[in-house]
Amino acid sequence: MKFDIDFNVSYIKEKIENLAKFTDPNIPFTRIVFSEQFYDARNWLKKEFNSLNLEVSTDNAGNLIGSLKSNIKTEKVVILGSHIDTVPSGGRYDGIAGIVSSLCVMKHIIENDISLPFNLSIYDYLGEELNDWSISCVGSRGIAGLLTEEILNRQNSVGQVLKDEINKIGGNTKFLDKPLSIAKNIIACLELHIEQGKILEQKKINIGVVRSIPSISRFNVKVIGQAGHSGTILMDQRADALVASSEIITFVNKLALRLSQESNQHFVSTIGKITVSPNAAAIIPGKVEMTIDLRSSSKSSREQYIKELEEKIELMNKTGTCKIDMNNIAYAPFVEMDKELVKLFKDSANSCGLTNQIMDSGAGHDTAQLSRLVPAAMIFIPCKEGLSHCPEEHAEILDISKGTAVLLKMVENLAMLNRA
Ligand code: HGY
Ligand code: MN
Ligand code: MN
């Protein structure tokens, strides 16, 4: 039976609302990886997988998997994936739309007894959002063998070691030094996601077919000054770490603005996390730590940005009163989606009678990690005013259902292409 976009709205709405309940009660839509709310949401997802009679498992990287086995004996698999973890005070659609649409695709395939020449698996990729260990895309990096010993041994602000958390949730970090064995059997990794930008909504286009995902680089900056009495230390005798940090913050913003205008590719940089110590009104800030987030689709602009920022910090160390250290703590290179899958997604959207356009992602996604290893591609659906990573994040259920129809069509097209 053809997928009825209107009919599936109620199922999708119900699942989105179910998942939204698992949040920190004090901050809307907060489901941080490994938190109590995250575990509760994972248990909910396991029940959903069981209600569809899927084979439920957790892989060595801690990804939760629900699989529909093909009725022909095969190891080949198509993955529909996304993530149920959120940023603090995030939204109810980022990642979740992908998981719910995958459940809806799976339900349709089972109810209509559609036979596939491959296994079909839904993946909740572990810890897609940047976390307390300063690493995003934990589970998808794990599949690709990109979780280094250094990353796995990182401790968070309360002393929890990342690898212990992965093992606790069912992973096995002893086997993460290379890509997981599943990689050789993956025909395609597909992900539906909200755009987290304004293009689709403004142009009134139903589906974005993602062509590329920008590089993500993160730097930790430590500024060491001298704490002191705010009432007694004269202005020209201070080593105020926050004043020095504000100079860096303004410099980063101006540099990123200039480079984004010079390059006609995606280029943004943000400092969204900063800690000041001792952070008291009557004490001159002695120490500041902050994280620089850089997204770039241009290799040369990224290199130019790092060069100019390093020169700025070197000059401030020579002429200023504080000691500044910057180090790179995460890097995921720019990736292009699999060209065949991009074309097939476009054909799938067309055969669903939905308007669509090829576009570049501004955000990072698990699909970027997987695309280094296996054919991977994504589609976007519109979200209200491009807002995301905030409680105002909103997507129309009908748009999620339209995206679901395209995801299903994609699976059916892959089935046709892979039938012996
Ligand atoms: O930060 C990102 O781009 C994604 O939301 N984790
Ligand atoms: Mn996401
Ligand atoms: Mn996100």
Side-chain angles (χ1 to χ4, degrees):
M1 185 177 81
K2 193 168 167 343
F3 183 83
D4 179 336
I5 288 172
D6 296 316
F7 172 74
N8 281 282
V9 162
S10 51
Y11 173 86
I12 291 170
K13 186 170 183 311
E14 180 210 335
K15 302 304 172 193
I16 295 270
E17 282 167 0
N18 288 165
L19 255 177
K21 288 185 199 123
F22 301 108
T23 177
D24 180 317
N26 308 314
I27 330 173
F29 312 124
T30 297
R31 193 165 48 241
I32 308 296
V33 68
F34 304 123
S35 67
E36 187 194 331
Q37 296 81 21
F38 180 79
Y39 269 93
D40 291 345
R42 272 246 161 137
N43 289 333
W44 172 85
L45 189 54
K46 279 178 192 164
K47 285 196 193 100
E48 289 300 311
F49 287 166
N50 287 325
S51 70
L52 291 170
N53 293 318
L54 301 180
E55 194 179 278
V56 184
S57 61
T58 300
D59 69 13
N60 288 335
N63 300 300
L64 178 64
I65 304 161
S67 296
L68 174 70
K69 290 294 182 197
S70 166
N71 46 25
I72 55 168
K73 194 127 185 52
T74 176
E75 294 301 315
K76 291 295 174 200
V77 62
V78 166
I79 292 178
L80 307 178
S82 202
H83 61 95
I84 61 171
D85 66 311
T86 72
V87 291
S89 190
R92 59 165 75 189
Y93 299 93
D94 173 356
I96 292 108
I99 292 289
V100 170
S101 59
S102 303
L103 285 170
C104 197
V105 166
M106 194 66 94
K107 176 171 167 286
H108 180 89
I109 285 171
I110 293 166
E111 286 176 352
N112 292 278
D113 208 11
I114 297 171
S115 78
L116 299 172
F118 42 70
N119 303 316
L120 184 65
S121 292
I122 298 174
Y123 271 58
D124 168 38
Y125 297 121
L126 180 67
E128 190 275 347
E129 298 295 0
L130 184 60
N131 51 46
D132 215 0
W133 290 272
S134 299
I135 189 79
S136 59
C137 299
V138 174
S140 49
R141 287 178 204 259
I143 295 172
L146 298 172
L147 288 178
T148 62
E149 269 307 298
E150 183 275 319
I151 293 173
L152 289 169
N153 287 314
R154 285 183 186 174
Q155 289 195 22
N156 69 357
S157 52
V158 292
Q160 292 167 317
V161 181
L162 179 58
K163 68 179 172 187
D164 296 346
E165 297 305 308
I166 296 173
N167 292 328
K168 224 187 287 174
I169 206 161
N172 189 336
T173 54
K174 284 204 294 296
F175 301 104
L176 295 184
D177 55 337
K178 56 186 178 304
L180 299 191
S181 57
I182 188 82
K184 64 182 179 303
N185 295 318
I186 295 175
I187 293 172
C189 282
L190 309 174
E191 181 173 11
L192 176 149
H193 204 286
I194 55 170
E195 179 198 340
Q196 300 174 304
K198 304 181 181 200
I199 297 170
L200 295 177
E201 184 188 52
Q202 283 173 347
K203 294 174 76 175
K204 295 193 179 10
I205 290 178
N206 300 130
I207 303 291
V209 181
V210 177
R211 170 176 49 200
S212 73
I213 298 176
S215 70
I216 300 186
S217 312
R218 291 199 181 97
F219 306 88
N220 190 41
V221 178
K222 264 194 196 121
V223 182
I224 309 291
Q226 179 55 60
H229 195 303
S230 64
T232 57
I233 309 291
L234 303 181
M235 294 313 287
D236 61 0
Q237 295 170 349
R238 296 181 172 205
D240 185 325
L242 190 52
V243 169
S245 303
S246 60
E247 192 177 330
I248 295 170
I249 293 167
T250 314
F251 179 84
V252 156
N253 188 268
K254 286 203 175 93
L255 175 61
L257 180 61
R258 194 195 89 219
L259 290 172
S260 65
Q261 287 161 342
E262 286 168 6
S263 98
N264 61 355
Q265 291 174 285
H266 192 73
F267 191 93
V268 288
S269 186
T270 316
I271 295 178
K273 182 180 178 183
I274 182 167
T275 51
V276 181
S277 49
N279 199 26
I283 307 174
I284 300 165
K287 181 179 165 197
V288 168
E289 269 203 84
M290 49 192 172
T291 305
I292 297 179
D293 176 291
L294 168 66
R295 316 294 178 99
S296 174
S297 296
S298 153
K299 193 165 175 297
S300 58
S301 301
R302 177 179 178 271
E303 286 161 358
Q304 183 60 26
Y305 173 96
I306 294 172
K307 178 175 172 295
E308 291 192 37
L309 183 51
E310 285 174 343
E311 285 166 357
K312 171 68 179 173
I313 289 174
E314 196 184 339
L315 181 66
M316 287 180 73
N317 278 328
K318 274 199 195 113
T319 59
T321 57
C322 294
K323 172 100 182 59
I324 305 163
D325 273 318
M326 176 172 86
N327 58 74
N328 180 234
I329 51 174
Y331 175 58
F334 168 84
V335 286
E336 290 197 318
M337 299 292 96
D338 180 89
K339 290 189 172 42
E340 291 302 306
L341 292 179
V342 167
K343 189 180 166 321
L344 203 56
F345 252 137
K346 203 159 169 44
D347 295 348
S348 303
N350 288 331
S351 49
C352 291
L354 295 168
T355 54
N356 58 84
Q357 76 159 53
I358 303 263
M359 61 191 293
D360 298 308
S361 174
H365 298 285
D366 291 303
T367 302
Q369 307 303 337
L370 294 155
S371 66
R372 301 183 214 298
L373 202 69
V374 296
M378 292 185 78
I379 50 171
F380 283 160
I381 59 153
C383 64
K384 189 164 161 290
E385 293 161 32
L387 288 174
S388 182
H389 282 195
C390 59
E392 297 82 0
E393 183 182 275
H394 179 77
E396 292 302 324
I397 302 293
L398 188 62
D399 287 336
I400 300 175
S401 193
K402 289 174 184 171
T404 305
V406 175
L407 197 59
L408 171 67
K409 191 71 198 154
M410 185 69 171
V411 172
E412 291 169 343
N413 283 336
L414 283 170
M416 263 189 317
L417 290 171
N418 285 278
R419 268 196 220 298

